[in-house]
Amino acid sequence: VVPLRRDGPRPHGFGRWAPRSSAKPRAWRTVVRADSAPAASQEEPVSTVSVPASILNLVKNIVGAGILALPAGVAAFSDAPSALVPATALLLVAAAVSAYTFAMIGRCCKLTGTDTFREAWAKAIGEKNAWVMSLTSTGNTGLGCLMFSIILADAAASLFTALGAPALLTCRSWALLAVTGGILLPLCFLESCDAFKYTSLAGACGLVYTVVAMGVRYLDGTYLPGRPLHTQIAPHLQPAVGIHGGTVWSSQALVLVSCLTVAFTAHYNAPKFYRELERRSLPRFYLVAALGFTCAAAISLTGMICGFLTFGGTSAGFILNNYANKDGLIAAARTAISVSVICSYPLVFNSLREDVLEMMGMPRPPRRVMQRATLILLGLITGLAIVLPDLGVVAAVTGALFGSALVYIFPALIFLYATGSKASRQSIGDKRDVTRKFERTINYGIV
């Protein structure tokens, strides 16, 4: 497409040079060359993902280290096996509501004609309030990095102990400093993390193996009193099932609710799943959300039940801390979790660094600033991971402060604003006003 001035000089190949006339205003027309294709055909096709592949990707996105804190969430209010009944009900409700809000984000993107979570917020609620979304995302990412560091500290210390490493490395703090300085820091200095984009499947497989190993240890009774491994763990981590009891009506049950929010967080990527879905439509997207969250709920439920029934009220925030260092099956699980976290850490950390620098007014900082930001942020996260050793507490705080906003409040608010006007209601295509009012009532309740 070549712009030409009607009264000005023409480019070579389209005619003679003509003097510009000052009497006529500048006008523009478009000449399409014979060898050029239509604009639509020149656009690169958008890669799409089939429904089965989208379901698998969603399961990989949901299933994370947060499920390892669920047994501690149950132990926060009871050590009785009967506590698993209300805990299971809470998990299923959390998974169902999370799946609904995940699907609703795709619906809101269609209503507002946007492609990202933040754009949907800005279009429905207003650009001046979009900083709330950015701040929440940054806080959630930062606490996610903190959870990763806590897991690495516990897993590395146990692995160093099992390998007979020097006593200094068997200390949790020094083990984390060694892993951070020797592995994480060089990886976080990398400008591109493309090599780590394909490790999510390996990470998900590692978590599935960990859940299977926990199930095997519960079924074979390895940690029951009188068994060899029972005496190889600290007294405060030995199984204590059905000793003190408890009730789900205790305020401590909110710890489990917050942990469940973290365990089912994948909502920031919902627009991407909807945008890249093959033969995109809302019914197909709803199917992806339903089956993806169902599979993730099954994995999380298995891990919660096996971990809690094995150790009861002494379940640690990072459940693998309850198992003996010399347990080979669990040692392999610790290794798988560590490799998964190390591969995922640079991706999450780079997102955190970019968000922080963008909020500081430096969307494209020079390399020197990036390196300084890496040292400061990684040092701060490592220091917090040393003084905050309980993964369960950090997971609960993450879910209470940021996870609940991203999973429940923000999607419901966007939907309420997007369907508030008459034009928006007509765009939904729902002729049954009673159904629309009922759905809006549900979202008011979620908020």
Side-chain angles (χ1 to χ4, degrees):
V1 179
V2 181
L4 293 179
R5 285 178 297 219
R6 183 180 301 165
D7 58 332
R10 299 181 179 181
H12 177 71
F14 284 90
R16 297 179 301 173
W17 291 95
R20 178 180 299 177
S21 173
S22 59
K24 296 181 181 181
R26 293 176 65 180
W28 296 80
R29 63 187 177 92
T30 301
V31 175
V32 180
R33 296 183 178 180
D35 60 347
S36 64
S41 62
Q42 290 181 350
E43 296 180 359
E44 296 183 0
V46 178
S47 59
T48 58
V49 185
S50 64
V51 169
S54 297
I55 294 172
L56 178 60
N57 290 334
L58 180 57
V59 173
K60 291 188 295 182
N61 201 202
I62 298 171
V63 175
I67 67 175
L68 300 177
L70 294 181
V74 182
F77 66 90
S78 178
D79 63 356
S82 59
L84 286 174
V85 176
T88 300
L90 288 174
L91 185 147
L92 295 179
V93 170
V97 176
S98 298
Y100 170 73
T101 54
F102 181 90
M104 189 168 54
I105 293 174
R107 182 180 177 186
C108 290
C109 287
K110 182 178 181 180
L111 289 175
T112 57
T114 54
D115 291 329
T116 65
F117 203 173
R118 187 186 184 280
E119 289 177 358
W121 172 285
K123 188 73 174 291
I125 300 177
E127 182 67 35
K128 65 179 182 180
N129 298 320
W131 64 269
V132 177
M133 176 71 70
S134 300
L135 180 61
T136 304
S137 175
T138 303
N140 189 70
T141 306
L143 289 177
C145 289
L146 178 58
M147 292 173 60
F148 280 165
S149 292
I150 293 174
I151 291 173
L152 284 177
D154 294 334
S158 298
L159 288 174
F160 285 145
T161 301
L163 294 174
L168 186 65
L169 290 178
T170 60
C171 175
R172 182 180 179 278
S173 301
W174 286 105
L176 177 59
L177 290 174
V179 173
T180 302
I183 301 178
L184 293 183
L185 184 59
L187 293 179
C188 291
F189 272 141
L190 295 177
E191 295 184 359
S192 175
C193 293
D194 291 339
F196 298 97
K197 292 183 178 179
Y198 307 99
T199 59
S200 58
L201 178 59
C205 292
L207 281 169
V208 172
Y209 168 79
T210 301
V211 171
V212 172
M214 292 165 58
V216 171
R217 284 294 176 253
Y218 165 67
L219 294 176
D220 64 16
T222 302
Y223 289 90
L224 292 175
R227 297 294 183 91
L229 291 180
H230 182 271
T231 58
Q232 295 185 14
I233 55 179
H236 69 281
L237 295 176
Q238 293 177 354
V241 181
I243 297 177
H244 303 290
T247 174
V248 72
W249 302 113
S250 169
S251 60
Q252 295 298 317
L254 295 176
V255 175
L256 175 61
V257 174
S258 298
C259 293
L260 289 172
T261 303
V262 176
F264 294 112
T265 300
H267 293 60
Y268 209 80
N269 286 328
K272 177 180 175 66
F273 278 94
Y274 176 67
R275 185 174 63 250
E276 297 180 354
L277 184 61
E278 185 180 57
R279 288 182 293 157
R280 181 178 62 186
S281 66
L282 287 179
R284 291 169 64 84
F285 183 66
Y286 295 159
L287 179 63
V288 170
L291 295 182
F293 276 87
T294 298
C295 295
I299 297 173
S300 300
L301 181 61
T302 303
M304 182 182 72
I305 291 176
C306 294
F308 180 76
L309 288 180
T310 303
F311 296 100
T314 61
S315 299
F318 180 52
I319 190 61
L320 296 186
N321 285 344
N322 285 90
Y323 296 87
N325 293 329
K326 295 183 179 180
D327 189 339
L329 193 65
I330 301 300
R334 291 191 180 102
T335 304
I337 292 295
S338 299
V339 173
S340 172
V341 169
I342 289 173
C343 292
S344 301
Y345 202 105
L347 294 172
V348 181
F349 183 83
N350 281 2
S351 178
L352 170 65
R353 183 178 57 196
E354 291 176 1
D355 289 345
V356 171
L357 292 176
E358 185 175 358
M359 292 178 66
M360 296 175 63
M362 293 182 288
R364 294 182 180 179
R367 179 179 177 85
R368 189 174 183 180
V369 174
M370 294 279 285
Q371 291 177 345
R372 290 179 178 177
T374 299
L375 290 173
I376 294 173
L377 290 175
L378 191 59
L380 179 61
I381 292 171
T382 304
L384 290 175
I386 292 175
V387 300
L388 298 174
D390 195 335
L391 176 66
V393 173
V394 177
V397 172
T398 304
L401 292 181
F402 301 109
S404 58
L406 290 173
V407 175
Y408 305 128
I409 299 176
F410 288 172
L413 282 177
I414 294 174
F415 178 79
L416 291 172
Y417 275 90
T419 59
S421 63
K422 182 178 179 180
S424 298
R425 292 196 298 267
Q426 292 176 351
S427 66
I428 297 175
D430 187 3
K431 299 181 179 179
R432 296 173 296 177
D433 192 59
V434 175
T435 303
R436 183 188 61 81
K437 290 182 177 179
F438 177 72
E439 189 170 8
R440 286 176 61 84
T441 301
I442 292 177
N443 283 275
Y444 276 118
I446 292 176
V447 174

